[in-house]
């Protein structure tokens, strides 16, 4: 295990040196637009993206393991706008906790696919310890964005590794 961590740390150090500092381990300058430096930059971005994707997946898995499912009723749909001018909607939902308590909640997420008529029933998942943490079930599911971040990051890392090559120090 220590050998794997040591090799990973060496990979990070070399990718940072070659990509961000444009230098080799012995201090030799690479050019700003060198192939080796650009490849190291892509590898560094890929590693960083993988860590973000993995943290997001772990967070989602933690929520999914503890979450309970309920059916909610849409009480209100508020329309908003992104900085690009796209329409987004925020829902106000009424649902009943497993212990019989009725809650009115506005999920933290605003999305374009929330344009549903008032009175619509939607499946939600909520954290029983924190009923304010409500997530509306979507067609894409909870793993859509973390999955694409992870795939894109792995592709970036592989392309960077191919571009960087295997230099002899």
């Amino acid at each position: 295990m220590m050998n794997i961590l040591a090799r990973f740390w060496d990979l990070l150090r070399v990718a940072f040196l070659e990509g961000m500092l444009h230098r080799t381990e012995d201090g030799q300058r690479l050019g700003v637009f060198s192939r080796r430096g650009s490849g190291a930059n892509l590898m560094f971005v890929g590693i960083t993206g993988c860590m973000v994707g993995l943290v997001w997946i772990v967070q989602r898995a933690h929520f999914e393991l503890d979450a309970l499912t309920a059916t909610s009723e849409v009480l209100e749909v508020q329309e908003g706008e992104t900085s690009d001018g796209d329409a987004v909607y925020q829902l106000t939902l009424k649902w009943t906790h497993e212990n019989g308590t009725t809650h009115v909640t506005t999920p933290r997420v605003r999305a374009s696919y929330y344009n549903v008529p008032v009175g619509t029933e939607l499946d939600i998942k909520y954290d029983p310890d924190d009923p304010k943490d409500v997530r509306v079930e979507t067609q894409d599911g909870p793993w859509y964005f973390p999955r694409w971040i992870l795939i894109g990051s792995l592709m970036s890392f592989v392309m960077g590794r191919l571009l960087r090559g295997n230099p002899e120090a």
Side-chain angles (χ1 to χ4, degrees):
M1 180 66 171
M2 291 302 290
N3 188 26
I4 293 172
L5 289 176
R7 289 184 64 193
F8 179 71
W9 178 250
D10 285 341
L11 174 71
L12 273 180
R13 183 176 51 79
V14 168
F16 181 76
L17 279 172
E18 291 178 357
M20 303 298 161
L21 301 179
H22 305 292
R23 297 194 183 279
T24 61
E25 292 181 72
D26 62 3
Q28 175 188 4
R29 286 184 61 85
L30 292 172
V32 172
F33 298 107
S34 70
R35 201 175 137 170
R36 189 168 157 187
S38 298
N41 274 334
L42 279 172
M43 288 172 64
F44 192 74
V45 167
I47 290 170
T48 304
C50 282
M51 289 191 309
V52 168
L54 288 173
V55 166
W56 198 352
I57 285 173
V58 166
Q59 183 271 336
R60 289 302 311 202
H62 183 277
F63 177 81
E64 292 290 324
L65 288 173
D66 295 338
L68 298 176
T69 304
T71 301
S72 67
E73 178 186 355
V74 177
L75 296 179
E76 182 182 5
V77 180
Q78 299 170 350
E79 186 173 352
E81 194 172 287
T82 64
S83 59
D84 297 337
D86 296 332
V88 291
Y89 305 92
Q90 188 161 6
L91 305 176
T92 302
L93 306 172
K94 179 180 175 183
W95 56 278
T96 304
H97 193 281
E98 70 174 349
N99 65 9
T101 310
T102 301
H103 295 274
V104 176
T105 309
T106 303
R108 291 179 283 174
V109 179
R110 298 167 53 126
S112 59
Y113 50 79
Y114 281 1
N115 188 14
V116 294
V118 173
T120 303
E121 289 189 349
L122 296 174
D123 290 332
I124 61 168
K125 286 193 175 185
Y126 67 94
D127 183 350
D129 298 328
D130 181 15
K132 293 178 183 173
D133 190 2
V134 173
R135 306 193 186 173
V136 178
E137 292 294 297
T138 63
Q139 289 179 341
D140 297 328
W143 311 105
Y144 184 73
F145 289 118
R147 179 181 58 216
W148 282 111
I149 286 175
L150 202 56
I151 290 170
S153 298
L154 288 172
M155 288 174 54
S156 173
F157 180 82
V158 168
M159 287 188 312
R161 182 70 176 97
L162 292 174
L163 189 61
R164 178 178 172 265
N166 195 9
E168 299 299 324

